[in-house]
Amino acid sequence: MAARAATSSVKWARDFLFRRVSSNSLGAIRNCSSVPGASSAPKVPHFSKKGRILTGATIGLAIAGGAYVSTADEATFCGWLFSATKVVNPLFALLDAEFAHKLAVTAAARGWVPREKRPDPQILGLEVWGRKFSNPIGLAAGFDKNAEATEGLLGLGFGFVEVGSVTPVPQEGNPKPRIFRLKEDGAIINRCGFNSEGIVVVAKRLGAQHGKRMLAETSGTSSSPSDEVKPGGKSGPGILGVNLGKNKTSEDAAADYVQGVHNLSQYADYLVINVSSPNTPGLRMLQGRKELKDLVKKVQAARDEMQWGDDGPPPLLVKIAPDLSRGDLEDIAAVALALHLDGLIISNTTVSRPEPVTNNPVATEKGGLSGKPLFPLSTNMLREMYTLTRGKIPLIGCGGVSSGEDAYKKIRAGATLVQLYTGFAYGGPALIPQIKEELVSCLERDGFKSIQEAIGADHR
């Protein structure tokens, strides 16, 4: 096993170097041939200093990994790969925030990220909506907006990944710059505004991934008994959520969400109605009692009128804002219980600037704040919503999670599942196994034998 991994690592490094050299050579040939009779030396593409640093670090890690793995078993090498990303990840901070984000998505899409080979501890496994999660740690919507890298991201060891928000019609979103780091506070402010390639493009990508898995299953590559009990969904190992948004200029929000259901629900293990982004004018007004009730009814009807197999339709969730009053929460809870909503995600980004962010000069930028400063606000709201829904509705805790202890606090407050985004942006792939390891320690420390036992423990 170690020998095969070593061969694979060396091959990857060789192929990576070959692609760099061959692409440069081809570029030089094209430059030369484009000028008839040109006799000067061909121009070599210029790579910035930051680009050379990233490339050099990546190649160095690949070569070192190839040497190291020859004496290590697969699990040890897997751990080494995740730890090695701690060297590369800080380099992304040298880049423009949005460019770094695109680079990270590209890396995951092309398989340039570690792949988790170690099974999750049984204590982290749980079943929600009839779907088996190998662990409760997920990636929130906003990272992979256009479903470009679902396989690579699930391969990192997330229990589930949520793509989107996806709008019916492609839109650019708000003007750049629109993503701002607050490094000292472990936070980010964004005002992206649902930049999306649109339903058609995302449906094609998800359809291709779904078809790939179906082909693998029918060809017998996933037919062993051990594979049959593996947690997973429509996109393969791991659960895939699809977050639906509305276009900025749309006058009929419900029609936008219904269109998303009709085109994307067949590829989703769960669906999310996003009515809480602060960067789309008028969107948060849909959280009002009457508006939300009307919207959810229409989306549920659109989903239920479609033909479904034995697994039934995907669960429907609503993602809410952290900037709501107690009365607002009571209204949302009432709608959720009355319409048998399958779940709530608590919460989106905040337009407030809680301490210590107020002292950061970047805090004056408009947009939604995410990251560590959001943790108290979103967790308190999670706790309130668990009480209001009497623990009858699965809640996904999102906002400020950057450690296993953070995830554990969300779970004790009432979260069945937990999502992160900003913590992942700062911590990189190495954060995922770290959070899971710390979460196991928290559970064992307090005498819990499963995640299920810990859900809502603060209320008992």
Side-chain angles (χ1 to χ4, degrees):
M1 207 60 167
R4 285 200 301 272
T7 302
S8 175
S9 179
V10 173
K11 181 178 183 297
W12 180 89
R14 185 183 67 237
D15 290 346
F16 180 86
L17 288 168
F18 176 77
R19 284 196 298 271
R20 293 286 284 187
V21 173
S22 61
S23 63
N24 291 353
S25 300
L26 287 171
I29 292 171
R30 284 194 294 269
N31 290 339
C32 184
S33 61
S34 63
V35 182
S39 57
S40 60
K43 294 181 179 179
V44 178
H46 172 72
F47 295 98
S48 68
K49 183 178 179 181
K50 293 176 182 177
R52 291 196 299 272
I53 292 173
L54 282 169
T55 302
T58 304
I59 293 173
L61 286 172
I63 294 172
Y68 174 78
V69 75
S70 61
T71 59
D73 58 50
E74 187 177 53
T76 303
F77 178 58
C78 185
W80 180 88
L81 276 179
F82 276 91
S83 296
T85 63
K86 294 179 181 179
V87 178
V88 177
N89 201 65
L91 301 177
F92 280 77
L94 302 174
L95 306 173
D96 168 77
E98 187 153 0
F99 178 75
H101 178 201
K102 290 181 179 178
L103 187 61
V105 173
T106 298
R110 297 188 179 184
W112 296 347
V113 292
R115 190 166 188 85
E116 184 60 83
K117 299 291 186 180
R118 299 162 294 185
D120 286 325
Q122 287 188 355
I123 194 173
L124 294 183
L126 73 165
E127 186 171 322
V128 190
W129 310 305
R131 288 146 175 82
K132 293 181 179 179
F133 291 72
S134 63
N135 72 77
I137 308 301
L139 180 62
F143 187 86
D144 188 8
K145 290 177 177 289
N146 298 300
E148 299 174 76
T150 55
E151 185 176 351
L153 292 171
L154 285 168
L156 284 170
F158 284 110
F160 62 109
V161 167
E162 190 175 309
V163 300
S165 295
V166 187
T167 58
V169 179
Q171 62 179 29
E172 291 293 327
N174 293 323
K176 300 176 183 178
R178 53 194 181 187
I179 303 177
F180 308 90
R181 299 186 182 102
L182 294 81
K183 298 176 187 176
E184 304 85 351
D185 302 309
I188 289 175
I189 292 175
N190 93 82
R191 52 171 180 261
C192 291
F194 283 172
N195 50 311
S196 173
E197 293 182 11
I199 283 175
V200 173
V201 171
V202 173
K204 285 182 179 179
R205 289 197 182 113
L206 293 180
Q209 295 163 17
H210 184 66
K212 181 180 177 182
R213 188 189 184 205
M214 293 299 100
L215 181 62
E217 289 181 349
T218 55
S219 64
T221 57
S222 300
S223 60
S224 66
S226 61
D227 283 336
E228 290 175 2
V229 297
K230 281 185 178 179
K234 296 179 181 178
S235 63
I239 302 295
L240 179 70
V242 177
N243 187 299
L244 306 175
K246 67 174 285 290
N247 283 109
K248 182 178 182 178
T249 58
S250 174
E251 296 181 0
D252 189 344
D256 279 15
Y257 292 110
V258 166
Q259 192 174 345
V261 169
H262 285 161
N263 287 274
L264 300 174
S265 58
Q266 60 267 43
Y267 309 121
D269 293 305
Y270 70 89
L271 292 168
V272 180
I273 304 174
N274 188 350
V275 291
S276 52
S277 170
N279 303 311
T280 297
L283 186 70
R284 288 191 167 187
M285 293 176 64
L286 296 173
Q287 295 174 114
R289 185 167 189 153
K290 182 182 183 303
E291 292 82 0
L292 184 62
K293 186 175 182 179
D294 291 343
L295 176 62
V296 171
K297 277 186 175 181
K298 291 177 181 178
V299 176
Q300 285 178 331
R303 178 198 62 176
D304 295 342
E305 71 185 9
M306 300 174 67
Q307 293 185 345
W308 299 103
D310 295 337
D311 292 338
L316 183 66
L317 291 74
V318 171
K319 186 169 186 175
I320 64 175
D323 309 306
L324 298 170
S325 67
R326 172 74 180 191
D328 293 331
L329 293 181
E330 290 174 352
D331 286 344
I332 292 172
V335 171
L337 289 170
L339 298 183
H340 304 288
L341 199 62
D342 297 298
L344 294 167
I345 300 180
I346 306 168
S347 67
N348 213 315
T349 58
T350 179
V351 294
S352 69
R353 298 293 182 262
E355 294 289 348
V357 171
T358 50
N359 299 320
N360 194 312
V362 183
T364 57
E365 293 289 348
K366 293 182 179 180
L369 174 76
S370 61
K372 291 182 179 180
L374 178 58
F375 183 84
L377 180 63
S378 61
T379 306
N380 288 337
M381 176 171 287
L382 170 70
R383 186 174 288 106
E384 285 190 60
M385 187 56 76
Y386 184 86
T387 300
L388 290 171
T389 56
R390 303 188 292 278
K392 293 183 177 181
I393 297 175
L395 306 178
I396 298 181
C398 182
V401 175
S402 58
S403 69
E405 186 70 38
D406 291 340
Y408 183 56
K409 288 178 179 177
K410 294 276 190 186
I411 291 167
R412 289 188 63 103
T416 299
L417 301 167
V418 176
Q419 288 180 325
L420 61 150
Y421 179 172
T422 302
F424 177 59
Y426 281 117
L431 184 64
I432 306 165
Q434 177 186 321
I435 286 179
K436 291 190 287 187
E437 183 179 347
E438 291 172 356
L439 180 55
V440 169
S441 297
C442 290
L443 292 167
E444 292 178 342
R445 178 193 68 203
D446 291 349
F448 293 114
K449 296 180 180 178
S450 70
I451 283 286
Q452 201 70 45
E453 290 182 4
I455 296 171
D458 288 348
H459 301 266
R460 297 194 287 270

